[in-house]
Amino acid sequence: MAPTQRGLVKTPHGLIHFVAKGALARPDRAALVCLHMSPRSVDEFLELQELMGTEERLVVAIDELGYGASDNPDKSVTLEQLADTIMCVVEHLGIQRFCLVGSLMGCYMSINLAARFPERCAGLFLHNPYLWPDEAVKKARGEASSEKPGAEWESKPDGSHFTDLWKLRSAFLPPDLNTRCVVDDAVYRLKRNLRQPLQIHIQEPQLFDFTRFAAQVKCPVLCTFGEQCVAFFDAIGFRMSEQKAKLAARFSAASSYTERHIPAASINMLNTNATDITRILTGTLITLGV
């Protein structure tokens, strides 16, 4: 059985938690560095680590600051600064070459690191990546300039603040996975409540400079979409189908771009469709020779 380790690493903005499954026994094998969506944690990659973490492949899942078992950041941070803390874990584990595995918000930090460390990043694997439309970016900029904190998560006497979180996903997630998501979501919201009186903010993903960093990516890019996730984003007015084509065009010709779709897969496909994703990633790693 492949070894598992977990720990906390000191970063310029607080302690960051990681779980590593597998080993770096073969220097020709790139490690997988996995960055979760909001409001999840390393738990989003539990199934993937079990399937892909081996004696020859290290798979590292990291709680971004403000999520899971990591600290809240000690001051307001951009997604680029959060990406810097990810590299603290990479260096701590002695990883030289890596492929980045991002999910939704984790995609932005993955793109940032792939652009800034081209000599070390062998592949960029994005799951349900999203390019925010111009009007959403404009709105986020206006809200950021007003410096008004978002609404706090209100604790209700009857505990219904937890059941409200349950209902958000109960229509499409099995109970056990929904419980895991509720735990992650509650931890994130509690940490956000603690940050608000201190005026500590984590940059909204709408404000990430997707165009600038995507254009600098040189490694192969694989984007995997869950068809139910795309349909959901379309239904709530986020126009994911339309934005996908624009997203692909943001990457430079130097980065070979591939798109894959998983039927009936939702926003939580890294948990529910881990076998499908493992097959896709394994085939891609073999093709890349890493």
Side-chain angles (χ1 to χ4, degrees):
M1 182 178 293
T4 300
Q5 61 173 310
R6 66 175 65 239
L8 295 169
V9 176
K10 185 177 180 180
T11 80
H13 301 291
L15 294 174
I16 191 168
H17 171 251
F18 72 90
V19 177
K21 175 81 172 179
L24 285 171
R26 288 182 53 172
D28 60 322
R29 292 281 175 93
L32 299 183
V33 177
C34 305
L35 305 178
H36 59 79
M37 72 167 85
S38 178
R40 293 300 308 279
S41 71
V42 294
D43 182 74
E44 186 177 10
F45 297 99
L46 176 64
E47 289 83 359
L48 190 72
Q49 286 189 299
E50 289 298 318
L51 291 168
M52 297 196 69
T54 68
E55 295 288 351
E56 297 179 347
R57 175 86 66 193
L58 182 67
V59 182
V60 184
I62 300 171
D63 281 333
E64 296 140 25
L65 289 178
Y67 297 82
S70 289
D71 284 350
N72 259 331
D74 59 2
K75 61 182 177 182
S76 293
V77 289
T78 65
L79 295 189
E80 184 169 355
Q81 289 171 318
L82 286 186
D84 288 338
T85 66
I86 302 303
M87 288 304 295
C88 292
V89 178
V90 170
E91 301 298 349
H92 172 79
L93 293 173
I95 297 170
Q96 294 304 311
R97 294 193 76 203
F98 52 79
C99 293
L100 292 154
V101 183
S103 174
L104 281 168
M105 192 181 87
C107 292
Y108 303 115
M109 284 173 281
S110 298
I111 291 168
N112 179 275
L113 293 174
R116 291 164 55 208
F117 297 92
E119 72 287 353
R120 298 177 68 176
C121 184
L124 180 59
F125 307 144
L126 306 177
H127 295 86
N128 292 322
Y130 183 66
L131 178 64
W132 289 91
D134 292 342
E135 61 270 23
V137 175
K138 182 178 180 180
K139 180 181 178 182
R141 284 176 179 161
E143 292 174 348
S145 64
S146 71
E147 296 186 352
K148 292 180 181 179
E152 286 194 0
W153 188 44
E154 182 184 356
S155 297
K156 300 176 183 177
D158 61 356
S160 60
H161 50 298
F162 288 105
T163 55
D164 288 344
L165 294 184
W166 177 271
K167 292 174 184 177
L168 290 175
R169 305 170 181 86
S170 59
F172 59 91
L173 288 184
D176 285 349
L177 180 55
N178 196 8
T179 299
R180 292 159 59 185
C181 291
V182 167
V183 170
D184 280 349
D185 201 345
V187 169
Y188 163 71
R189 290 169 187 254
L190 287 169
K191 288 189 172 184
R192 188 182 63 187
N193 280 4
L194 292 173
R195 294 197 304 269
Q196 286 180 348
L198 303 175
Q199 290 294 302
I200 294 175
H201 306 290
I202 295 174
Q203 183 186 38
E204 294 295 330
Q206 296 94 313
L207 301 181
F208 174 72
D209 196 344
F210 192 109
T211 298
R212 178 163 71 95
F213 288 110
Q216 297 175 31
V217 173
K218 301 296 189 296
C219 66
V221 178
L222 169 66
C223 290
T224 304
F225 294 91
E227 291 185 354
Q228 285 187 1
C229 178
V230 175
F232 173 74
F233 271 54
D234 288 349
I236 62 175
F238 281 6
R239 309 195 309 272
M240 195 172 198
S241 296
E242 174 187 322
Q243 292 299 112
K244 282 201 296 99
K246 296 178 180 179
L247 177 147
R250 294 296 194 275
F251 290 98
S252 71
S255 60
S256 58
Y257 180 91
T258 306
E259 192 172 295
R260 299 288 297 273
H261 293 257
I262 302 179
S266 71
I267 194 171
N268 297 96
M269 66 183 185
L270 278 156
N271 298 122
T272 59
N273 298 81
T275 301
D276 296 322
I277 291 171
T278 294
R279 183 171 60 251
I280 292 170
L281 293 185
T282 299
T284 303
L285 291 166
I286 291 172
T287 299
L288 296 178
V290 294

